[in-house]
Amino acid sequence: MYKDKQRIDVLVSYKLPNSTKLEEICEDLLNNHFYKNAKQPTVHLEGENIWTADPYDRSWRFWLHCLVPVGYLLDGYERFNEPEYFNKALSLLLNWKQFNYPQSNADMAWHDHSTALRLNIICKFYETWRKEHWNADTQKELEELVEQHCDLLLEDDFYRFKHNHGMDQDISLVMASTVFSHLPKSDKWLKKGMERFWIQVHTIFGDDGSYLEHSPDYVYLLSERLLSFASFLKDNQLPEHDQLNNKVTRILEFFLYTLQPDGTIPQIGDSATKKPKFKDWKFPNQKIKKSLISLVEGKNEPIPYPTEGIFPIGEFVMMRNKWEFAKDTNQLIFLSGFHSRTHKHNDDLSFTLFGHGQPLLIDGGKYSYEYSHTNRKYVTSTKAHNTVTVDGINSLTNSQNIGKSGITSFCFNDQFSYSSAAHTLYPGVKHRRSVIYLKPHDFIVIDKLEGYKEHTFDQVFNFDETLKCEVNNNQIIGYKADEQLIKITPIIDKNVELFYGSEEPMQGWASYTYATLDPIYSAVYKDYGDKATFVTHITTKPDHSNIVCKFEDDRLVVRLEENELQLFLTQNYEHIFFNNEEYPTEKIEKPKLQEGLLELKQGEKFKEQYANSLKRRKKLEKELNELKNSLEEE
């Protein structure tokens, strides 16, 4: 009978705590005290229907309806052999069904993601229950609940295409089809789940392994899930596990390049800075395993990958002078891509900078997933990233603009690295940014903006919270204690404003931990007109003065020690000479970006025609008024 078949190990989305903490969580749950994480106190939920409780925020409600407390209780039962834990898990599960099946008043009960992750918990419960506690009545209750979950996940209107939630929906369907293989629809769940899964994988990850939602923390979370799913497929004699392992290897190579020199995940997009842990990972490839562990654990063992990385599908460029983690290790991550609105920040043509063993220039962080909250809107805004704002507003990230941003060229060698990118995400404005890294300490950033009318252009730099900043002749110097760690100098002189935790205007903030906002220094260089050019020198060795930078007529000349670099910017590309030798850049075709640039040209032509027509009309009105006045005088 199916209840006697070999137990299936089910994947879950939460981290299993240590034994002491797990027992504490389970004991609390017996008394209806619900734990989420160390940042929020446990909550006592009273009454028969606890599922509409809202003690904290959207994330807390989501976690409750994923039935993670049931997962903890099952883990506690298996680890400590405590029957009360299992009985409480059964009680919570059936209570959830009582008040939320088939419909619910709770917003997270049938949310697209909570439905998938809750199905995993139900599968996990079923595998524990059927071995020792099987009875026909509970079987009917569980299978009824599973069928509703799977039927809902099959619906196109409910499914999240091009989204990491959709990928979890696929994995849940496949697992449910395996655990409940005796049910009539299980073959349909398996077929649909696997078909959609591969579409999702190829949609949210590029062929180069890059993550198209631009948050490295999600690469970490999803890679672990994908590796576990590959093991699940293999353990249950399902095909395509080797294909999946090969895909994850490419994803992990991209992840390696996103890590900061100290082995932490950078605060880019909806990522929180933390160190990955690979203790229980089943790596399919030893090369990437050794490289990741060496970097994260600070072993400084040789990493057999080039120091620079270019991921043209995901629109990431990573520049560093060496893999070894030392005081003089520098890393710049440059990104410019708009693939979807999922986890999208207004971060096109932005970059982060790491040096002196710590972050120096940073992104605004995640804050929370309360999308309407003022603080969430700020950290995702253009001015919370190291890029240029136009007229003080956000770039337009509507669906019509998807693809109109990207890396357009690059050139890497041992002495310098170069990359350029552009976007047309502001109406009527083209923004082009070129980044040069003169190893090991110096960076030049060139921003060229062109519009058809006058604008206010703000070039923004956001500093890590550990730095104190001062202005000196429009230079920004960042200190930690009494040591200068970074200096920013405008080569084309611009006025600068320095903000620190300003509320009006809101500027100079970052979110380092969930649902908190901390003051930081933020520098803003300003320009006005229908065009603007910013040329900025950034150095992580502020005490050296042997660099000379000049920019005139789209020609940059940089002299540093015995070396000279010249950059000539053309309308769309560039020519680079280093010590009088030309270094060609590799071009990257961006059809949607080119479409956006063509729209700008057509728009400029139309606006020029409109402006000329307006001038003619005003001239005629003036002549008519003069004639009218003349006739009245006669």
Side-chain angles (χ1 to χ4, degrees), residues 29 32 34 43-55 60 64-65 67 69 88 91-92 95-96 99-100 106:
L29 283 168
N32 294 322
F34 287 74
V43 177
H44 182 62
L45 300 182
E46 296 181 346
E48 191 176 1
N49 180 8
I50 64 172
W51 308 104
T52 56
D54 186 17
W60 194 95
L64 181 67
H65 282 276
L67 293 185
K88 184 66 175 181
S91 173
L92 281 174
N95 184 263
W96 186 92
F99 289 101
N100 298 285

Side-chain angles (χ1 to χ4, degrees), residues 63 334 383 385 411 485 488 533 535 540 565 624:
W63 161 84
F334 182 30
K383 62 184 178 180
H385 300 83
C411 176
L485 301 190
I488 299 179
T533 300
V535 182
T540 57
L565 182 142
L624 285 172

Side-chain angles (χ1 to χ4, degrees), residues 170-171 174 177 189-202 225-250 284:
D170 301 326
I171 291 173
V174 172
S177 73
W189 301 340
L190 175 62
K191 184 174 184 294
K192 192 74 167 181
M194 288 305 300
E195 286 176 355
R196 282 177 169 174
F197 171 78
W198 281 112
I199 294 171
Q200 284 283 13
V201 168
H202 293 309
R225 200 163 300 169
L226 290 173
L227 286 175
S228 297
F229 186 51
S231 295
F232 178 88
L233 294 177
K234 184 176 182 179
D235 292 344
N236 292 281
Q237 291 79 53
L238 295 171
E240 302 179 291
H241 51 84
D242 286 337
Q243 181 183 346
L244 181 54
N245 276 328
N246 291 336
K247 180 69 175 181
V248 179
T249 297
R250 291 194 294 276

Side-chain angles (χ1 to χ4, degrees), residues 540-577:
T540 57
K541 194 174 181 182
D543 56 346
H544 80 161
S545 57
N546 56 344
I547 186 168
V548 177
C549 302
K550 294 182 180 179
F551 186 87
E552 187 175 358
D553 296 330
D554 288 339
R555 178 191 177 210
L556 173 74
V557 179
V558 183
R559 296 185 181 91
L560 177 61
E561 296 177 350
E562 302 300 321
N563 299 311
E564 179 182 87
L565 182 142
Q566 295 188 60
L567 172 69
F568 297 84
L569 295 175
T570 64
Q571 182 62 30
N572 294 308
Y573 295 111
E574 60 282 305
H575 300 277
I576 302 175
F577 294 84

Side-chain angles (χ1 to χ4, degrees), residues 382-591:
T382 309
K383 62 184 178 180
H385 300 83
N386 302 307
T387 185
V388 178
T389 70
V390 179
D391 297 328
I393 61 175
N394 288 329
S395 54
L396 296 185
T397 53
N398 49 35
S399 57
Q400 291 80 8
N401 275 345
I402 289 176
K404 295 178 182 178
S405 171
I407 305 295
T408 56
S409 64
F410 68 97
C411 176
F412 299 151
N413 61 65
D414 292 338
Q415 294 175 294
F416 74 91
S417 299
Y418 172 86
S419 182
S420 68
H423 77 67
T424 59
L425 302 183
Y426 280 108
V429 176
K430 171 188 174 182
H431 181 193
R432 178 185 180 189
R433 170 168 274 188
S434 299
V435 177
I436 304 167
Y437 177 24
L438 293 165
K439 301 178 182 180
H441 300 293
D442 295 277
F443 303 83
I444 309 292
V445 178
I446 303 172
D447 289 297
K448 291 184 66 65
L449 298 108
E450 300 177 18
Y452 68 89
K453 64 179 183 179
E454 289 197 348
H455 297 278
T456 300
F457 302 103
D458 290 346
Q459 186 192 43
V460 183
F461 296 98
N462 294 294
F463 296 82
D464 185 69
E465 64 176 348
T466 61
L467 299 181
K468 179 182 179 181
C469 295
E470 294 180 356
V471 178
N472 183 11
N473 293 326
N474 286 334
Q475 286 184 332
I476 306 295
I477 301 174
Y479 297 85
K480 185 175 182 181
D482 294 327
E483 183 183 6
Q484 296 184 16
L485 301 190
I486 183 172
K487 181 168 68 176
I488 299 179
T489 304
I491 305 306
I492 299 178
D493 198 28
K494 308 285 185 185
N495 290 326
V496 64
E497 286 188 70
L498 190 61
F499 298 89
Y500 180 80
S502 171
E503 295 183 358
E504 188 59 44
M506 194 170 185
Q507 185 78 49
W509 299 92
S511 178
Y512 287 88
T513 55
Y514 188 78
T516 64
L517 206 61
D518 300 302
I520 62 168
Y521 282 95
S522 180
V524 179
Y525 288 97
K526 293 185 169 292
D527 204 348
Y528 308 89
D530 60 351
K531 297 179 180 180
T533 300
F534 298 88
V535 182
T536 312
H537 171 224
I538 304 169
T539 182
T540 57
K541 194 174 181 182
D543 56 346
H544 80 161
S545 57
N546 56 344
I547 186 168
V548 177
C549 302
K550 294 182 180 179
F551 186 87
E552 187 175 358
D553 296 330
D554 288 339
R555 178 191 177 210
L556 173 74
V557 179
V558 183
R559 296 185 181 91
L560 177 61
E561 296 177 350
E562 302 300 321
N563 299 311
E564 179 182 87
L565 182 142
Q566 295 188 60
L567 172 69
F568 297 84
L569 295 175
T570 64
Q571 182 62 30
N572 294 308
Y573 295 111
E574 60 282 305
H575 300 277
I576 302 175
F577 294 84
F578 190 77
N579 293 337
N580 296 318
E581 180 181 350
E582 185 169 7
Y583 287 80
T585 58
E586 295 190 42
K587 317 303 181 190
I588 304 172
E589 296 299 324
K590 301 291 177 184

